[in-house]
């Protein structure tokens, strides 16, 4: 006998990527975006075209190969995704070189965390961590979009990662890497965590309201 489908309401939820894309929107586009996230979660749909790319980038860090795996993935990826990878690899290779001598950097294991902004759960999921020979560590989140990350997206991403760094990668600094341009974003000097927290709490409350409205 088939169990009846659950009729419980779908609770509001966001990933770090979804929430930071949400805060970057204004006006009616916020409601449309949250509605799309809700439908995607309800259908459990979604495909990540960047999986092979991230795996190759991590391999280059782990094996100190300076971009060899990124070069190979261009040939290995399905033709459908090759233009995307061709747009990503040059910037990613430039970022790898900016880290210094390949053997001075190692891959570090990160863990996901669950943030609560008010009552809104937000999944904090860096792509990986890196550890330098001098002991410094960074938790890395990658930005793949054609447009650079906005100041709001940078602040939200780095604040939420820093907020849970004890769980993600203790004593590490959060960084957001704009892959296409090979640029690293760090928390700007003078940033005020208390103000950012209040701003994000307000955004989270509005997100929850829009999620419920979209039901």
């Amino acid at each position: 006998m088939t169990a009846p489908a659950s009729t419980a309401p779908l609770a509001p939820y966001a990933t770090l990527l979804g929430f930071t894309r949400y805060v970057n929107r204004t006006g009616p586009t916020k409601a449309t975006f949250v509605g799309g996230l809700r439908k995607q979660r309800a259908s459990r749909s979604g495909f990540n075209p960047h999986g092979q790319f991230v795996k190759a980038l991590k391999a280059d860090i782990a094996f100190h190969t300076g971009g060899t795996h990124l070069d190979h993935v261009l040939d290995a990826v399905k033709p459908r995704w090759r233009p995307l990878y061709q747009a990503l690899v040059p910037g990613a290779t430039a970022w790898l070189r900016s880290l210094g001598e390949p053997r001075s950097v190692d891959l570090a294991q990160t863990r996901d965390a669950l943030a609560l902004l008010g009552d809104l759960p937000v999944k904090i999921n860096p792509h990986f961590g890196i550890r330098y020979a001098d002991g410094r560590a960074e938790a890395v989140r990658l930005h793949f979009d054609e447009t650079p990350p906005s100041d709001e997206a940078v602040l939200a991403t780095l604040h939420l990662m820093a907020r849970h760094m004890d769980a993600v990668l203790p004593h590490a600094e959060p960084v957001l890497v704009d892959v296409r341009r090979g640029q690293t974003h760090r928390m700007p000097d003078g940033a005020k965590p208390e103000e950012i927290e209040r701003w994000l709490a307000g955004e989270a409350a509005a997100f929850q309201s829009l999620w419920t409205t979209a039901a």
Side-chain angles (χ1 to χ4, degrees):
M1 182 177 180
T2 303
S6 173
T7 57
L10 193 66
Y13 170 87
T15 62
L16 183 60
L17 175 62
F19 186 73
T20 54
R21 282 181 168 172
Y22 159 77
V23 301
N24 200 38
R25 283 165 167 74
T26 58
T29 62
K30 280 184 177 288
T32 303
F33 182 74
V34 172
L37 288 181
R38 193 184 191 286
K39 289 178 182 177
Q40 185 180 73
R41 182 152 177 83
S43 65
R44 301 183 184 274
S45 63
F47 171 73
N48 177 17
H50 305 115
Q52 285 179 267
F53 174 87
V54 174
K55 184 177 180 180
L57 180 56
K58 290 170 67 175
D60 273 323
I61 297 170
F63 297 110
H64 314 294
T65 42
T68 301
H69 289 83
L70 285 173
D71 287 339
H72 289 167
V73 82
L74 282 174
D75 296 325
V77 71
K78 291 181 179 180
R80 176 184 178 186
W81 302 112
R82 197 159 292 146
L84 171 64
Y85 280 45
Q86 288 171 339
L88 297 174
V89 165
T93 303
W95 174 72
L96 274 178
R97 291 172 179 163
S98 76
L99 301 179
E101 168 60 35
R103 292 196 174 276
S104 70
V105 183
D106 285 304
L107 194 67
Q109 178 67 48
T110 58
R111 292 180 173 83
D112 293 348
L114 192 65
L116 279 177
L117 284 171
D119 295 325
L120 177 67
V122 180
K123 184 179 182 181
I124 310 301
N125 51 343
H127 285 95
F128 52 84
I130 54 177
R131 196 176 299 279
Y132 296 89
D134 62 6
R136 291 180 298 118
E138 295 174 347
V140 180
R141 179 76 198 173
L142 303 176
H143 175 86
F144 296 105
D145 295 353
E146 292 184 20
T147 57
S150 67
D151 292 344
E152 291 81 6
V154 170
L155 279 177
T157 300
L158 297 181
H159 177 82
L160 288 171
M161 288 173 63
R163 193 178 185 244
H164 295 273
M165 197 55 69
D166 285 349
V168 169
L169 181 61
H171 311 298
E173 177 187 3
V175 298
L176 179 64
V177 176
D178 182 355
V179 178
R180 291 176 187 255
R181 284 151 284 271
Q183 297 178 347
T184 300
H185 295 271
R186 304 175 189 278
M187 188 64 78
D189 294 336
K192 299 178 179 179
E194 298 84 2
E195 292 184 4
I196 298 172
E197 187 73 19
R198 285 195 294 271
W199 163 55
L200 293 180
E203 292 284 359
F207 183 102
Q208 287 180 284
S209 176
L210 292 171
W211 182 284
T212 303
T213 303

